[in-house]
Amino acid sequence: MPGFEIFGDEERKEVQDVLDTGVLFRYGFDQARKGHWKAKAFEAELAKLTGTQYCHLCSSGTAAVSIALTACGVGAGDEVIVPPFTFVATIEAVLGAGAVPVFAEIDETLCLNSDAVNAVITPRTKAVLLVHMCGSMAGIDEIKALCEQKGLVLIEDACQALGGSLNGKALGTFGHMGCFSFDPVKTITCGEGGAVVTDDKKLYTIAEGYADHGHDHTGSDRGLEGHPILGTNFRISELNAAVGLAQLRKIDYILKKQRAHKKAIKDAMSRFSEITFRKIPDEKGDTATFLSFFLPEEEQARKLAGKFADAGVDGCFYWYDNNWHYIRQWDHLKKLKSAARLPIALLENRPDYENIDLPQSDQIMSRTISMLIKLSWTEDELKQRIEKIVGVIDKG
Ligand SMILES: *Cc1c(COP(=O)(O)O)cnc(C)c1O
C-alpha cells in the first residue's frame, strides 16, 4: 500500500495550482479558481478508472463507508453483515449509522464467504458490507448472487483494493456502491481522503448531498441551494484532492511494480510444500499490495512470523495477534466501549459481541502471514529479501 513511497513533483504541481488561486474549497468561487477543480477532476478520473458512471470524493474511507450505508438506506436497527477481518473503520461506520454489525465467517480468500453470509441472514438483514482485504478480492459472484436472491444491499469496502478487478471489472463496482480510501498507507494517498462509486444516479445524488449537509448543488449561489435531506460534512479539500489526482495518475505504474515484486517473492516461496497461498479468484486482478500465505498450523505460523522479524524481513504481519485488523483483539468493539452511548445500546436484541464464535475465521487467521509489497525496493533489495525469506523458511 505504497502511495507515500512515490510522492514527487507531480503532486507538488497539482497542490501549487490550488495554492496559486487560494481556493481550497471544492465548490463555488468559479472566477477565483481559474479553472482548477481538483476534486471534480479526481472524481472524473476515478470514475473512468473504475468504469463507473458516478464518483464522489469525501474526507476519508471511513466517511465513504458511512456515505454508502446512508445512500443505500441502511440506518437505525438494520443488520449489516460484515467480516471479522477488516480495518475496524468498517465496523465503526456501521455503528455510526445506528445499524447493527453482524459478523460472518471468512474463507481462504480472507474475505466473507457466501455460505457463511447466508447462514447469518435474518428478517432484519439489510445489507452485506463486503471488504476486499489486503489488495485482493472476495468470491464476489457468489455473494452478489446471494444478495440479489435475498434482496439485500451490497456495498463493497474496496478501501484496500483500488485498481483491482475480477474478470476485468473493477473491484468496488459489483455492488450498489463501492468505497475507497486514500489514507497514508493505501495504494494511493492524498493525506486523508476517500470516495464512493456507483452506477446508480439516485444513490449518487443522495451521496453527494449527504456528504455536504444535504445541499442539492444546483444553481450558482450556495446560499440559495435546496436541502432535500439532512446531511453532514464529509467533504474533501482541494489541497487533498490535488495530491490524490497526481497519485491516481501513477496507478498503472504502482500496480505493475507491485505485481512484479510480489510474483518474484511468491515464485521463490512456492517450492516450500508447507506453505499455501491465499485463494485469489482472479490473479490478474490482484493489486499485489500484500502476499498472504498459510502455514498448516497456528504454532508454525506464529513461529515463522517471529523468525522473519528476527531476520529483519520487515513488513510481515501476523494478524491473529495484531491489534489492528482482526476481531480477536478488538476489545473496545466486544465491550462496545465508546465515548458516549451508541445507538446500538438501545437495542435489546443486539448480538453478544463479547461471545462471538468464528471458528473458521480463527482457524484461517491463526495460520496466516501477510507480507507487505513495497514499490521502492531496488532489484538488489528484492533479491536480498528473497534470499532472506528463503533462508529463514529453509532453516525451518
Ligand atoms: C483504510 C480502511 C478504511 C478507512 O479508511 P480511512 O481513509 O483510513 O478512513 C476502511 N476500510 C478498510 C478495509 C480500510 O483498509
Side-chain angles (χ1 to χ4, degrees):
M1 300 189 186
F4 66 84
E5 294 181 87
I6 50 160
F7 189 93
D9 287 342
E10 302 79 9
E11 286 77 3
R12 274 186 279 277
K13 189 223 157 248
E14 294 297 325
V15 173
Q16 195 60 50
D17 285 347
V18 177
L19 293 177
D20 286 345
T21 66
V23 180
L24 312 184
F25 193 52
R26 67 157 299 172
Y27 297 111
F29 298 92
D30 294 28
Q31 291 300 316
R33 66 195 313 137
K34 302 199 177 103
H36 294 304
W37 299 87
K38 300 303 181 187
K40 273 192 184 167
F42 191 169
E43 285 164 354
E45 292 194 22
L46 187 57
K48 188 158 172 240
L49 177 82
T50 54
T52 41
Q53 293 285 320
Y54 306 100
C55 171
H56 185 70
L57 282 186
C58 57
S59 50
S60 70
T62 311
V65 179
S66 300
I67 291 167
L69 288 166
T70 298
C72 293
V74 181
D78 293 329
E79 290 182 1
V80 180
I81 297 172
V82 294
F85 181 48
T86 178
F87 181 37
V88 72
T90 313
I91 316 301
E92 288 170 337
V94 174
L95 290 169
V100 180
V102 172
F103 290 91
E105 300 267 25
I106 58 167
D107 59 26
E108 292 203 345
T109 62
L110 300 184
C111 302
L112 282 173
N113 173 274
S114 61
D115 291 335
V117 169
N118 195 17
V120 297
I121 292 174
T122 75
R124 294 178 300 274
T125 307
K126 176 90 183 195
V128 175
L129 184 39
L130 180 60
V131 183
H132 301 299
M133 267 308 266
C134 297
S136 185
M137 76 283 315
I140 305 172
D141 291 337
E142 293 81 2
I143 290 173
K144 187 175 159 102
L146 177 66
C147 288
E148 277 169 3
Q149 187 204 332
K150 303 279 181 180
L152 301 178
V153 169
L154 177 59
I155 295 170
E156 291 169 87
D157 177 342
C159 285
Q160 296 194 11
L162 178 70
S165 58
L166 176 76
N167 302 325
K169 187 170 163 61
L171 303 183
T173 67
F174 288 84
H176 294 86
M177 228 172 210
C179 310
F180 296 100
S181 163
F182 315 114
D183 84 18
V185 292
K186 297 305 202 281
T187 303
I188 69 166
T189 183
C190 63
E192 298 287 357
V196 291
V197 296
T198 183
D199 281 328
D200 186 327
K201 187 170 186 185
K202 257 210 233 127
L203 297 185
Y204 164 75
T205 304
I206 301 172
E208 66 112 38
Y210 173 70
D212 182 25
H213 305 294
H215 274 265
D216 66 7
H217 300 133
T218 54
S220 57
D221 185 339
R222 193 166 159 82
L224 295 179
E225 286 176 15
H227 308 94
I229 54 168
L230 288 167
T232 186
N233 179 1
F234 283 139
R235 294 186 307 253
I236 193 166
S237 89
E238 283 288 277
L239 288 171
N240 293 82
V243 176
L245 188 55
Q247 288 258 303
L248 189 63
R249 290 170 181 161
K250 298 176 178 179
I251 188 79
D252 289 344
Y253 167 82
I254 293 173
L255 294 177
K256 200 170 144 210
K257 215 46 195 199
Q258 283 177 172
R259 284 167 178 160
H261 288 172
K262 176 169 175 175
K263 183 172 187 308
I265 299 174
K266 189 171 178 180
D267 285 350
M269 286 174 62
S270 293
R271 67 180 162 96
F272 297 103
S273 58
E274 70 270 35
I275 289 177
T276 52
F277 296 95
R278 168 187 186 169
K279 189 174 161 203
I280 298 179
D282 179 6
E283 293 268 356
K284 284 202 296 294
D286 178 17
T287 70
T289 51
F290 280 99
L291 173 62
S292 299
F293 52 91
F294 310 114
L295 277 294
E297 301 290 340
E298 170 177 347
E299 201 187 308
Q300 290 158 288
R302 190 175 272 129
K303 229 159 95 189
L304 184 59
K307 283 185 182 162
F308 280 144
D310 293 343
V313 182
D314 60 352
C316 292
F317 297 91
Y318 181 62
W319 306 114
Y320 198 57
D321 287 346
N322 176 295
N323 283 344
W324 272 60
H325 287 306
Y326 189 56
I327 193 170
R328 195 165 91 102
Q329 304 282 1
W330 292 344
D331 278 339
H332 56 343
L333 167 77
K334 291 181 192 171
K335 300 198 167 84
L336 288 178
K337 279 194 199 161
S338 54
R341 194 149 64 130
L342 294 168
I344 195 172
L346 300 175
L347 293 179
E348 267 160 28
N349 59 351
R350 65 177 179 268
D352 174 8
Y353 292 110
E354 280 193 88
N355 290 298
I356 286 178
D357 197 23
L358 295 161
Q360 189 187 323
S361 303
D362 281 344
Q363 211 273 344
I364 291 167
M365 292 313 298
S366 65
R367 299 185 296 111
T368 303
I369 296 176
S370 296
M371 272 183 189
L372 191 66
I373 303 297
K374 279 194 150 186
L375 276 182
S376 50
W377 291 330
T378 63
E379 293 266 322
D380 243 19
E381 284 169 339
L382 181 62
K383 219 176 110 207
Q384 284 169 21
R385 189 180 176 82
I386 290 173
E387 277 167 15
K388 252 192 224 168
I389 292 170
V390 169
V392 169
I393 308 173
D394 250 338
K395 275 197 227 125

